[in-house]
Amino acid sequence: MFPSVDHAESIMIKTLPALWFAIVMVSLTSTVFARIGDTLEQCKKRYGAPIASSEKDQSFDFKHEDVKINIRLHEGKVAAISYTPPNKEGFTVDQIMSRLVANNGKGDWNLPERSDDAGTMTWTHEDASRGASIDKGRLLLKVYLLDSK
């Protein structure tokens, strides 16, 4: 027996807000987080003035939604990003994935691998241009160009 039209419409009406929320969240992912290839000016527009910086090392710290974000520039573009969560619980899987998605570039990330006995997880990008790693406690997520790690 098939569900009635009224039942189907009811389900659709109940799920539409969740669907729109998901669409909005995915679209925001690419604009909320620093991305490989961004300029310092793009990062400043997104987060405001850096809270700390080292011109010599081309390293700049920002804070956004209690997450500490460190970027390192190479030839004027973001070549490495480190994200530190605001608490000792670390990042959730969703938070990790949203930051990786923001740094996809063209293509996708390969499945993660354990890279050492300490439990560090690493990802490589399918185009071999970038990598990412997170420590066992999920307290430091790094995304970087492979030649500027």
Side-chain angles (χ1 to χ4, degrees), residues 3-19:
S4 69
V5 172
D6 290 337
H7 180 68
E9 284 179 0
S10 172
I11 291 171
M12 208 164 126
I13 289 168
K14 289 178 184 174
T15 59
L16 274 177
L19 177 62

Side-chain angles (χ1 to χ4, degrees), residues 1 21 25 45 49 51 55-56 61 64 72 76 78 81 88 92 104 121 123 125 135 138 140 148-149:
M1 173 100 31
F21 178 76
M25 292 311 292
K45 275 185 184 178
I51 58 173
E55 293 286 335
K56 178 184 171 206
D61 291 343
H64 185 263
R72 290 189 172 262
V78 174
I81 308 165
K88 300 276 185 210
T92 66
N104 263 359
M121 298 292 290
W123 293 262
H125 197 268
D135 66 316
R138 301 184 322 264
L140 182 63
S148 65
K149 189 175 174 183

Side-chain angles (χ1 to χ4, degrees), residues 90-101:
F91 288 116
T92 66
V93 171
D94 288 341
Q95 291 169 326
I96 294 166
M97 295 311 298
S98 64
R99 284 159 177 84
L100 291 177
V101 167

Side-chain angles (χ1 to χ4, degrees), residues 30-101:
S30 63
T31 60
V32 173
F33 307 117
R35 291 176 294 196
I36 297 293
D38 278 358
T39 64
L40 178 58
E41 290 308 312
Q42 288 171 307
C43 292
K44 285 179 179 178
K45 275 185 184 178
R46 198 170 284 127
Y47 306 121
I51 58 173
S53 64
S54 169
E55 293 286 335
K56 178 184 171 206
D57 295 331
Q58 290 291 285
S59 175
F60 301 86
D61 291 343
F62 297 91
K63 198 156 198 167
H64 185 263
E65 297 177 356
D66 292 330
V67 174
K68 182 181 171 194
I69 302 163
N70 171 269
I71 64 165
R72 290 189 172 262
L73 302 178
H74 178 71
E75 296 178 358
K77 304 268 182 157
V78 174
I81 308 165
S82 297
Y83 301 97
T84 306
N87 55 47
K88 300 276 185 210
E89 278 105 55
F91 288 116
T92 66
V93 171
D94 288 341
Q95 291 169 326
I96 294 166
M97 295 311 298
S98 64
R99 284 159 177 84
L100 291 177
V101 167

